[in-house]
Amino acid sequence: MEDKTEQAVYEALPALLLPWYAENARDLPWRHSREPYRVWVSEIMLQQTRVEAVIGYYNRFMAAFPTIYALAEAEESRVLKLWEGLGYYSRARNLQKTAKQIVDDFDGVFPDTAEALEKLPGIGAYTAGAIASICFECPSAAVDGNVLRIMARITADDSPIDLPATKRKIGAALEKVYPKGRCGAFTQALMELGACVCTPKSPGCTACPVQTLCAAHRENAVQSFPVKLPKAKKRVEERTVFLLRCGGETAICRREETGLLAGLWQFPNCAGALTVEEAVRWAEEHGVQPVGLFRSVHRTHIFTHIRWEMIGYLLDCAAKSADFVWAGREALTEAYALPTAFRMFLEDI
DNA sequence: AAGACGGGGGC
DNA sequence: GCCCCAGTCTT
């Protein structure tokens, strides 16, 4: 099996992967149908998100919005609430933007080529390839982290997989060997192998259907691939969070429409670590007449690029300022999309 | 090319 | 604590 050209290695993939996938495919909710709407929603949810984390969200989302028309007509706040805790909230906004566009411009029918799909909000090269191959049997590669890792190992390619050029090269090579009539299965077989066998750590090489093809395995260097660029380090931000309580209700407000956690709800907060005296003054300036500090709590939340060190002050107040929306625990839990960074304070109030 | 953009699970 | 996940968009 040595000295195969890279082209020959790629060409051998479908015959090895397809039978393996037929035997080993997991039963996942979005594999029950090839309906573009269902596949699309699953692919968006799966961006940078593990299968296990998605399953519950996917089932709830489909129950709430069974068709693209239901999604297009829904209140945005309801879409965001169903996305609460899943992260990367622009995905939810783009999802509905695209639903409206497909309903309004295409009479509810999805484009059936990767090129056309990629023009839609939230659909990039990966998602376009996934939908085109799975729903329409197009030979369009879906190059995600799994595929990058698999191909870097099989070809012992030491070019950093973070580079767009690496991704394009692998996608182009794959598209030449997509098996006619089995494109959807081939796309999913690749990802299934990456998720279940060719994993980042301790890959299951002994159970791998393409072991005989794998240069990294042959060189006993599977752990050396893929090569990745060094990551930027995250910055630390101190914030003060105000848990203002009055008459059994707590103050919340909406975040800016752009940027971090765009358009979601939050407890009032400001930059910096205020002392309790400064916090009381801040509350007074916002018209809530703080009458007592119940307690203070410290919480940390880590985003991809920022670490929030938060000090939360629970202040009992004598007035409900119109600067905020006031919500009881029931509404806090069920009506407002509160991201994890703030939801973690629910146990304190 | 680099940074913004969430959150959770595995070790 | 670090890694990394069925990525996309903006600058």
Side-chain angles (χ1 to χ4, degrees):
Chain A
M1 210 46 87
E2 65 265 25
D3 291 328
K4 278 199 168 191
T5 65
E6 200 159 293
Q7 171 74 7
V9 170
Y10 273 87
E11 281 171 358
L13 249 22
L16 293 172
L17 245 25
L18 259 11
W20 173 83
Y21 180 66
E23 285 301 311
N24 296 279
R26 288 168 293 177
D27 178 27
L28 301 173
W30 45 90
R31 287 184 176 160
H32 296 344
S33 158
R34 290 192 175 205
E35 198 187 322
Y37 173 64
R38 303 180 69 86
V39 172
W40 166 59
V41 171
S42 77
E43 292 300 344
I44 299 297
M45 286 188 171
L46 287 161
Q47 289 169 4
Q48 293 292 285
T49 311
R50 294 172 189 282
V51 164
E52 314 82 69
V54 166
I55 292 175
Y57 283 90
Y58 177 82
N59 288 331
R60 287 190 294 276
F61 199 92
M62 279 305 157
F65 311 121
T67 67
I68 195 167
Y69 299 97
L71 176 57
E73 294 162 7
E75 287 291 327
E76 186 189 68
S77 61
R78 185 152 172 252
V79 179
L80 254 11
K81 183 65 184 174
L82 279 157
W83 209 270
E84 181 188 70
L86 199 53
Y88 287 140
Y89 298 91
S90 67
R91 291 185 294 174
R93 294 169 174 282
N94 283 152
L95 201 63
Q96 201 181 23
K97 197 176 299 177
T98 287
K100 288 177 190 287
Q101 203 166 310
I102 290 176
V103 167
D104 293 345
D105 301 347
F106 308 142
D107 204 25
V109 179
F110 268 80
D112 63 358
T113 66
E115 187 186 359
L117 286 161
E118 202 172 341
K119 291 182 171 27
L120 272 2
I123 298 184
Y126 160 76
T127 306
I131 297 173
S133 60
I134 294 170
C135 302
F136 305 114
E137 286 298 332
C138 298
S140 306
V143 185
D144 68 340
N146 287 313
V147 175
L148 253 10
R149 184 174 56 257
I150 292 167
M151 297 318 303
R153 284 174 174 166
I154 290 181
T155 64
D157 185 349
D158 60 2
S159 45
I161 62 169
D162 318 74
L163 299 175
T166 305
K167 190 181 288 197
R168 281 196 303 273
K169 186 186 71 177
I170 289 175
L174 275 174
E175 291 188 347
K176 291 180 184 160
V177 304
Y178 255 69
K180 188 170 172 54
R182 306 301 308 280
C183 295
F186 189 55
T187 285
Q188 296 185 79
L190 246 8
M191 296 192 291
E192 194 78 350
L193 186 73
C196 301
V197 178
C198 195
T199 50
K201 292 167 216 176
S202 52
C205 296
T206 58
C208 181
V210 296
Q211 186 193 135
T212 56
L213 241 41
C214 186
H217 182 261
R218 196 159 52 237
E219 298 166 11
N220 198 23
V222 173
Q223 296 291 0
S224 303
F225 301 94
V227 172
K228 307 201 74 172
L229 259 22
K231 304 163 295 298
K233 63 176 197 286
K234 32 180 137 280
R235 63 178 186 272
V236 179
E237 286 182 12
E238 293 185 316
R239 299 202 70 82
T240 300
V241 177
F242 302 90
L243 304 164
L244 309 173
R245 307 186 303 180
C246 182
E249 296 185 318
T250 305
I252 55 174
C253 54
R254 204 202 291 270
R255 293 181 61 79
E256 299 294 308
E257 290 301 317
T258 58
L260 188 66
L261 305 173
L264 300 193
W265 290 84
Q266 63 183 352
F267 296 112
N269 63 91
C270 66
L274 273 51
T275 64
V276 62
E277 292 82 7
E278 291 169 330
V280 167
R281 183 155 38 247
W282 189 96
E284 284 169 351
E285 286 166 3
H286 286 77
V288 297
Q289 299 176 29
V291 293
L293 175 71
F294 183 65
R295 63 181 160 133
S296 61
V297 296
H298 189 277
R299 293 278 182 271
T300 298
H301 185 76
I302 300 172
F303 299 98
T304 305
H305 53 304
I306 311 170
R307 167 202 293 270
W308 272 2
E309 296 287 352
M310 296 177 284
I311 173 79
Y313 290 112
L314 280 77
L315 294 169
D316 290 309
C317 303
K320 287 180 184 171
S321 161
D323 288 9
F324 310 119
V325 169
W326 296 81
R329 169 164 286 278
E330 177 90 354
L332 237 31
T333 305
E334 310 201 348
Y336 300 96
L338 206 60
T340 302
F342 294 103
R343 205 171 57 212
M344 59 199 304
F345 288 101
L346 281 178
E347 61 188 72
D348 301 308
I349 63 178

